[in-house]
Amino acid sequence: MKKHHLFAALVLTLLSLGATNTFAKELVIYSARNEQLIKPLFDAYTKETGTEISFITDKAGPLLQRLKSEGKNTRADLLITVDAGNLWHAAREGVLQPVESIILQANILVHLRDPGNQWFGLSLRARTIVYSTERVKPADLSTYEELGAPQWKDRLLLRTSKKVYNQSLVAMLIAEHGEDGAEQVIRSWVANLAAKPFSNDTKMMQAILAGQGDVGIVNTYYFGRLLKKNPELKLALFWPNQKSTGVHVNISGAGVTRYAKHTEAAIKFLEWLSSEKAQNLFADGNMEYPVNQSVATHPDVAAWGDFKASKQNLAIAGQLQNSAIRLMDRADYR
Ligand code: FE
């Protein structure tokens, strides 16, 4: 009798192992995040679950094109990319599929994921004000809108409007102020520019250090990288709009592809990425904030100070992206 029980238990165990393995063996990922950032996560997941992960990395645009042209034949199960504008686009182009998961809904703040469940934020970055600690007092700063005030004439530096980060920022401004209100803000910024817009955030910050301007707008992790290289950096972050809309935030995130061959495994991996143990690996590697509220921010990032963040759903960054691009063009923001 005892032997019988043991045997039955063994069979059950083997069956359940087999069952999990049928959807957990393999996963193919297209990633716009670079290998150095994502490989440690993939390795940790493989070690924990035995799921083998193969991946390719490229820029967001080419990956989306590739998914579209591969269609049903794609090998990709999951798309990882940055900026809600890009994720929204991928959903709009029909390369993602909705995922119903109570785990994802519990772990990820509601405004950081698609209302249609096609994409989910996995790390959070703020796009905030950066200033020269030599020439600016934080008391002089207040809001994004105020960067258009006369006191910042010939002192403001910006990154190019071609970058999706600024398109998303302006989309969120349109949601807050309407098109006319947002256009006034952008025109006032352009009128205050001390130099032509820069190709990236880091060059913009270096220009502030070189005295070409005094304030700018930057993604927090670029500031973090510069600060890591130079702890004596004469720059600091400022959290604007604390009495109103809050700091503009954006995400890196992911979605399960429409023609995934390992859908279950892809969802399991997404859920794992949003869990406590993976959130730090994912966010800390790029000096970002976790999207899971129960996870602590890395001390180096937390040291930049607490802030109130905008709670507007990031789908707006996609919905209003074209309006934002046209608006910036009208306002001569290049
Ligand atoms: Fe970036």
Side-chain angles (χ1 to χ4, degrees):
M1 193 65 189
K2 249 187 170 170
K3 242 182 185 172
H4 236 96
H5 265 130
L6 262 175
F7 182 68
L10 186 65
V11 167
L12 274 175
T13 311
L14 284 173
L15 274 174
S16 67
L17 274 175
T20 35
N21 275 342
T22 51
F23 62 75
K25 262 186 218 145
E26 193 190 347
L27 204 47
V28 182
I29 296 175
Y30 285 4
S31 173
R33 310 216 79 183
N34 66 38
E35 175 163 353
Q36 179 194 326
L37 257 159
I38 52 170
K39 187 74 165 46
L41 278 159
F42 296 168
D43 290 346
Y45 190 68
T46 302
K47 203 172 161 198
E48 192 177 313
T49 64
T51 305
E52 292 294 336
I53 298 179
S54 50
F55 64 95
I56 57 164
T57 61
D58 202 338
K59 293 224 155 80
L63 284 181
L64 178 57
Q65 280 315 312
R66 181 164 174 167
L67 277 170
K68 277 172 70 179
S69 60
E70 286 173 346
K72 287 180 182 167
N73 299 320
T74 191
R75 289 188 60 237
D77 299 305
L78 197 72
L79 173 69
I80 297 179
T81 187
V82 293
D83 203 285
N86 288 334
L87 288 158
W88 184 90
H89 248 290
R92 182 64 175 248
E93 295 288 334
V95 302
L96 303 179
Q97 63 169 297
V99 166
E100 298 297 334
S101 158
I102 357 174
I103 295 176
L104 291 173
Q105 284 174 12
N107 284 351
I108 304 169
L109 288 166
V110 66
H111 60 292
L112 306 179
R113 47 185 163 86
D114 176 24
N117 293 320
Q118 299 205 45
W119 47 264
F120 299 85
L122 295 171
S123 66
L124 180 102
R125 61 279 297 282
R127 190 147 186 81
T128 194
I129 294 177
V130 62
Y131 64 93
S132 159
T133 52
E134 293 179 305
R135 298 182 299 280
V136 175
K137 289 190 291 291
D140 300 336
L141 292 158
S142 61
T143 64
Y144 294 100
E145 293 81 352
E146 273 294 306
L147 292 177
Q151 69 169 125
W152 302 110
K153 179 86 185 148
D154 296 325
R155 299 174 75 190
L156 176 65
L157 298 178
L158 293 173
R159 181 179 187 162
T160 170
S161 64
K162 309 274 178 298
K163 183 67 187 181
V164 67
Y165 301 158
N166 283 331
Q167 295 166 3
S168 291
L169 173 68
V170 173
M172 300 310 264
L173 286 173
I174 294 174
E176 285 159 15
H177 298 289
E179 284 228 18
D180 291 346
E183 186 167 336
Q184 272 176 34
V185 173
I186 303 307
R187 284 187 184 277
S188 68
W189 287 358
V190 171
N192 280 351
L193 285 180
K196 263 177 42 188
F198 294 82
S199 59
N200 66 54
D201 284 13
T202 305
K203 281 182 185 155
M204 187 277 292
M205 283 187 287
Q206 277 157 348
I208 296 180
L209 290 171
Q212 255 191 292
D214 298 336
V215 285
I217 296 176
V218 76
N219 275 10
T220 41
Y221 56 90
Y222 292 116
F223 169 80
R225 283 180 206 169
L226 219 53
L227 187 65
K228 211 173 215 174
K229 274 191 224 154
N230 174 14
E232 307 293 307
L233 197 66
K234 301 240 180 318
L235 294 175
L237 295 178
F238 179 83
W239 307 117
N241 299 58
Q242 292 304 280
K243 288 179 187 146
S244 55
T245 44
V247 175
H248 283 289
V249 292
N250 211 315
I251 50 171
S252 82
V256 177
T257 62
R258 166 169 275 182
Y259 298 112
K261 308 295 181 288
H262 311 97
T263 310
E264 291 298 316
I267 295 171
K268 283 265 174 294
F269 181 57
L270 256 186
E271 291 173 342
W272 182 81
L273 285 174
S274 74
S275 73
E276 280 186 49
K277 78 178 87 167
Q279 273 286 287
N280 276 123
L281 260 179
F282 199 83
D284 298 355
N286 193 37
M287 303 190 86
E288 292 184 63
Y289 300 88
V291 292
N292 184 329
Q293 285 289 76
S294 54
V295 178
T297 303
H298 189 281
D300 289 352
V301 175
W304 307 335
D306 283 332
F307 61 91
K308 175 178 133 185
S310 166
K311 288 278 188 315
Q312 294 204 80
N313 192 287
L314 281 173
I316 293 168
Q319 286 154 7
L320 293 175
Q321 188 182 73
N322 281 335
S323 306
I325 291 169
R326 286 195 300 267
L327 187 157
M328 290 190 283
D329 191 51
R330 283 199 302 279
D332 278 326
Y333 175 13
R334 300 296 179 220

